Amino acid sequence: MDPDKARGLCSPFRRPGGAAYLQRMPSSSRRWRSALSVAALLLVAPLEGASQSAEPPAACEGGRISRIVIRNGDVFNPVPEDPSLLRWAYRSANLLHIRTRADFIRKALIFDEGTCLDPQLLRESEGILAGFQFIRAASITHEETGPGEVTVFVETRDEWTTQASADVAYDEGLDLERIRIDEKSLLGQGIHLTAMRRQYRESRYESLGVTWPHLVRHATFLARFRSSADGSSYRLAMARPFVGDEGRHSVGFSIDRSTDPFAFAAPAGGEYSHVLIPRVSEWTSVQYGRRFGDLWRAGVLGLVLRRQVLSFEDPPRYVVADHFGGGRPGLAALPDAVRRRLLPRGATYLSVHAGARAHTRVRMVGLEGLRDVQYVSDGYLVAVSAGRSLGVLVPDSTDSHDAFVHMDAAAARPMGSSYLWSGLHMEVNRGDGPWRDLLAGLEAVAYLRSERVPGHTLFVRASGAAGWRTTLPYQLTLGGREGVRSLPEDAWPGGRSVVLLAEDRILVGWPDWHAFDLGATVFADVGRMWAGDAPLGVPSGWQGSIGFGLRIGSPRGTRFVWRPDLVFPLGRGGDPILRVTLELNQLHRGFNSGKLLRSMQFNRGVEIF
């Protein structure tokens, strides 16, 4: 799954799987005119009234904001205790970096000069700024500067924004998975440009993309284009989501086309290791959401009009011994269980979204990274989408859905310096017959810390995923980065799984340099797969592993942590595995299983709510 996730609900309720790929512009001029028309409507959508309307001339209880002072610090902050060579490197890097512009930071705020001071809006704006990938930390304070007047100070510190990387992972062997060039804040305006070549398993493509936040205040434009052997993909989107927890209106429009193949893993010891199913998915959607209630307790109602088509046009390909670049058609007879899941389908749906949430924001330090600052939620969220096909613009397909229900729920609770989170996501749909394709995932996560054991975080995670009466391409696997880590990625395919993980994350306080954070970890995990009704599924019994590794982040305070791990299998033969990967268990990325999400059909569009 592509690591770029949709930026919808605030962590930990942010929906994963919203990132889509964009490659080639639609050839139809009619589609272009439609896209530009809807984008124009979005540009003139009403701005938030509650937080940005002019205050009445009445006196403000906490004082009126007379001035907003914006200070953005350097990426690195050299101190005399650092070695002289490091101080020189820090200063040189700061000279090369273009800081986030004050006008961009000002546009992200949900208060203005001349309005009454509201501490809740200051905290909301602080969380919005800290949510940008190119801002490492944000702080908003105020002080009285005259009778009935206050000055607000907005202080931020950037992450390093220009990156050229070759992601070499040692994960069941040495792999050059990705070559990528990123500028996460072009000219300090938050514009994210990216160019990438990816060669990881069935994901093999070249892509270009741009994300432009605040093209209009609080409105974001996104375009991504990708080319692969399976065809061209693209995504064009214009959205104005809710602004923090204070916004009242949300609108969005998108056109998507994806040509990702679906990889079925085969049981070990067979003629081939995988069956690749070329598939083409297309979506066009328009959506609107309205929030009701106050800052801490609110409900949401929304409408989504969406046309989507799923087709399987090219013949399946077979992969031998995990050599994904050399898939061959016609190697073997396609298993009947796979063939039955290749029915094209499509329809135009009108769906209603309803949700409720009650939460506050909590600032925590070193929760997931090593010294990073993170804003997490204390409360709950429940959201349900239900839709039905309209019988218009129906594509020529042999199967179509009549109705669907999709649900997400999450709850989170800080307990001192510890933090608990749990989430549920599921969907079910129906064609001409009974309900089918019931897919569900459940996660429970705990970050346990105590002042008696400083520098230690006990991370515990329990996850389960399952499918019943599946008619779409669907399969889970037990091993790899998101499962039992001593197993290969596609070990033990099946339809229902459970994985348990515990690890002690240790902060190492030396060397006391500002170039990086250093930590260590020891861990153990165990899991089990049941065949269920997934194609090519086999029961695994209980499988487990233990291991240890390092956690490295740069510069100090970054939220992105690299970890080399040495993993040993439990209770069976086999050599240890060295894995060098990016930290996966992170709230801002979501905990939901990528293997489950790739089969869900109706989890797009709702993220703006």
Side-chain angles (χ1 to χ4, degrees):
M1 170 176 284
D2 191 273
D4 297 329
K5 303 297 182 183
R7 302 297 179 188
L9 296 167
C10 295
S11 176
F13 302 134
R14 179 171 296 140
R15 295 181 50 79
Y21 305 109
L22 308 141
Q23 283 82 32
R24 179 177 55 85
M25 303 293 285
S27 58
S28 169
S29 61
R30 181 179 302 174
R31 179 171 291 184
W32 266 107
R33 290 195 297 269
S34 299
L36 293 175
S37 299
V38 175
L41 290 175
L42 289 174
L43 292 177
V44 298
L47 295 178
E48 305 295 341
S51 60
Q52 298 165 12
S53 60
E55 291 286 344
C60 300
E61 180 178 352
R64 190 177 299 277
I65 300 174
S66 61
R67 186 184 178 200
I68 299 175
V69 178
I70 297 175
R71 302 168 179 162
N72 186 20
D74 287 320
V75 176
F76 298 98
N77 184 24
V79 295
E81 291 78 11
D82 291 329
S84 58
L85 181 60
L86 276 180
R87 294 200 304 271
W88 175 85
Y90 295 158
R91 288 192 292 267
S92 300
N94 286 335
L95 289 174
L96 293 173
H97 173 73
I98 300 177
R99 300 184 193 177
T100 303
R101 299 298 185 187
D103 59 337
F104 178 89
I105 295 174
R106 188 178 294 271
K107 285 189 293 184
L109 304 176
I110 56 177
F111 57 86
D112 288 312
E113 293 175 347
T115 61
C116 290
L117 178 71
D118 185 339
Q120 293 179 347
L121 297 185
L122 268 59
R123 288 195 295 269
E124 279 297 295
S125 296
E126 189 176 282
I128 291 171
L129 290 172
F132 288 113
Q133 289 188 5
F134 48 87
I135 293 181
R136 189 193 327 166
S139 174
I140 300 180
T141 58
H142 66 279
E143 67 178 31
E144 185 176 344
T145 53
E149 294 186 350
V150 296
T151 296
V152 175
F153 298 92
V154 181
E155 299 181 82
T156 64
R157 172 157 290 177
D158 284 354
E159 291 272 16
W160 185 259
T161 61
T162 304
Q163 297 177 351
S165 61
D167 292 352
V168 181
Y170 195 95
D171 187 356
E172 307 163 34
L174 185 64
D175 292 308
L176 178 60
E177 295 183 358
R178 182 175 63 179
I179 299 175
R180 178 167 180 161
I181 300 175
D182 281 279
E183 172 51 57
K184 295 184 178 180
S185 184
L186 181 67
L187 301 178
Q189 294 292 344
I191 302 171
H192 186 177
L193 303 179
T194 181
M196 179 169 58
R197 177 182 176 86
R198 183 171 174 82
Q199 299 286 334
Y200 179 66
R201 303 172 60 79
E202 70 270 20
S203 297
R204 296 170 176 269
Y205 56 82
E206 295 83 34
S207 68
L208 296 172
V210 58
T211 303
W212 192 337
H214 297 302
L215 177 62
V216 181
R217 188 171 189 180
H218 301 306
T220 297
F221 170 75
L222 182 148
R224 293 180 184 164
F225 308 90
R226 190 183 67 188
S227 176
S228 70
D230 294 291
S232 297
S233 304
Y234 57 82
R235 187 183 186 204
L236 300 173
M238 186 77 177
R240 190 175 184 280
F242 293 125
V243 180
D245 289 328
E246 182 70 8
R248 294 294 173 181
H249 301 275
S250 173
V251 290
F253 169 76
S254 65
I255 299 176
D256 298 71
R257 184 177 190 268
S258 173
T259 57
D260 292 325
F262 190 99
F264 283 101
E271 185 179 2
Y272 52 87
S273 60
H274 299 79
V275 181
L276 296 184
I277 305 298
R279 60 177 177 173
V280 178
S281 303
E282 297 179 294
W283 300 267
T284 303
S285 66
V286 181
Q287 49 212 15
Y288 170 78
R290 175 72 165 89
R291 182 182 282 166
F292 304 88
D294 57 28
L295 185 62
W296 310 123
R297 296 179 182 272
V300 174
L301 287 176
L303 291 175
V304 179
L305 180 64
R306 172 172 54 203
R307 182 180 186 269
Q308 63 186 62
V309 179
L310 176 66
S311 60
F312 306 92
E313 299 175 357
D314 295 329
R317 303 194 305 272
Y318 297 86
V319 176
V320 178
D322 296 326
H323 294 153
F324 286 90
R328 294 180 289 171
L331 179 66
L334 188 66
D336 289 340
V338 174
R339 189 187 307 276
R340 290 196 300 268
R341 287 165 169 79
L342 304 186
L343 294 177
R345 58 188 67 188
T348 299
Y349 299 93
L350 178 64
S351 58
V352 177
H353 177 87
R357 62 124 172 100
H359 84 135
T360 59
R361 289 183 184 272
V362 179
R363 183 179 186 270
M364 303 193 80
V365 178
L367 183 67
E368 294 188 295
L370 292 154
R371 291 186 176 90
D372 62 317
V373 175
Q374 190 170 4
Y375 291 81
V376 297
S377 291
D378 176 7
Y380 69 85
L381 168 74
V382 178
V384 178
S385 297
R388 187 175 181 84
S389 60
L390 300 178
V392 297
L393 299 176
V394 178
D396 294 330
S397 61
T398 60
D399 188 23
S400 65
H401 296 280
D402 289 333
F404 74 90
V405 176
H406 185 98
M407 185 182 78
D408 288 275
R413 177 70 64 187
M415 298 180 65
S417 61
S418 299
Y419 190 68
L420 307 178
W421 182 93
S422 61
L424 167 70
H425 57 288
M426 62 171 293
E427 76 173 31
V428 61
N429 55 74
R430 192 181 79 175
D432 298 330
W435 291 96
R436 63 190 184 186
D437 293 311
L438 173 58
L439 306 177
L442 178 65
E443 303 279 346
V445 175
Y447 300 83
L448 304 177
R449 300 189 289 188
S450 172
E451 295 180 357
R452 298 180 180 179
V453 191
H456 288 253
T457 299
L458 179 61
F459 176 78
V460 181
R461 177 185 178 187
S463 62
W468 294 269
R469 304 186 67 175
T470 57
T471 64
L472 287 163
Y474 168 74
Q475 188 191 65
L476 306 173
T477 55
L478 188 60
R481 304 173 182 182
E482 297 184 14
V484 178
R485 283 173 281 189
S486 64
L487 297 175
E489 181 78 22
D490 291 316
W492 302 108
R496 298 163 197 169
S497 68
V498 61
V499 176
L500 307 174
L501 163 69
E503 65 179 55
D504 185 12
R505 299 175 175 178
I506 307 163
L507 174 64
V508 178
W510 53 266
D512 191 18
W513 299 345
H514 290 256
F516 62 89
D517 292 323
L518 179 63
T521 180
V522 292
F523 58 85
D525 48 39
V526 63
R528 183 169 183 172
M529 178 69 70
W530 290 266
D533 64 353
L536 309 177
V538 291
S540 68
W542 288 101
Q543 306 287 327
S545 64
I546 59 173
F548 60 90
L550 297 176
R551 303 177 75 228
I552 305 168
S554 180
R556 171 170 289 190
T558 183
R559 70 190 67 177
F560 302 108
V561 177
W562 284 96
R563 52 181 299 168
D565 292 328
L566 189 60
V567 190
F568 299 85
L570 283 177
R572 60 182 179 83
D575 297 326
I577 294 178
L578 175 64
R579 296 184 181 275
V580 182
T581 57
L582 187 66
E583 182 74 63
L584 286 171
N585 300 316
Q586 294 182 334
L587 286 171
H588 77 278
R589 297 188 62 182
F591 288 100
N592 297 318
S593 168
K595 295 289 187 179
L596 182 68
L597 290 174
R598 65 176 180 164
S599 296
M600 286 189 168
Q601 297 296 296
F602 301 101
N603 62 340
R604 286 174 174 267
V606 182
E607 65 269 7
I608 69 164
F609 300 115

